[in-house]
Amino acid sequence: PGWLQAIENSVPTNLAIRAPAHDCVSGFPEGMAVGEDFVYMQRLAALAAHVKRPLLLVDRVTVRYNRRPGNSLDRQLDKFRTPLPPI
């Protein structure tokens, strides 16, 4: 399927947020099955607009991610590759 290539090419992202900003938006929402990172970023963007200080995007490498065989990203990919059982 088309989504498989997108997942195989995906790269984890990292985000650095100051603790007061994290606390102000109450952190990540709890109880969501998916999408909590998206909601978190929406809250941070709204906070930045409210205080009139833009979120800064850094155009340089600041984090090194070591991808090892069998890590959580590989396990997630394996789940997507496994056919669903018949209903």
Side-chain angles (χ1 to χ4, degrees):
W3 51 262
L4 183 59
Q5 187 65 42
I7 290 173
E8 289 175 344
N9 292 334
S10 68
V11 177
T13 58
N14 295 282
L15 179 68
I17 298 294
R18 293 184 184 272
H22 175 82
D23 295 342
C24 189
V25 299
S26 302
F28 286 89
E30 295 184 20
M32 296 180 65
V34 296
E36 63 277 358
D37 52 345
F38 180 73
V39 173
Y40 182 68
M41 283 302 299
Q42 284 183 316
R43 291 177 179 177
L44 288 170
L47 173 64
H50 178 72
V51 298
K52 297 180 175 40
R53 294 189 68 185
L55 296 176
L56 300 176
L57 300 177
V58 179
D59 192 21
R60 66 178 185 268
V61 175
T62 58
V63 175
R64 180 176 161 186
Y65 181 80
N66 294 317
R67 189 169 176 188
R68 294 183 177 89
N71 70 3
S72 62
L73 190 61
D74 285 345
R75 291 191 302 272
Q76 182 180 12
L77 183 57
D78 288 341
K79 286 181 187 178
F80 281 107
R81 287 180 173 153
T82 304
L84 295 173
I87 298 177

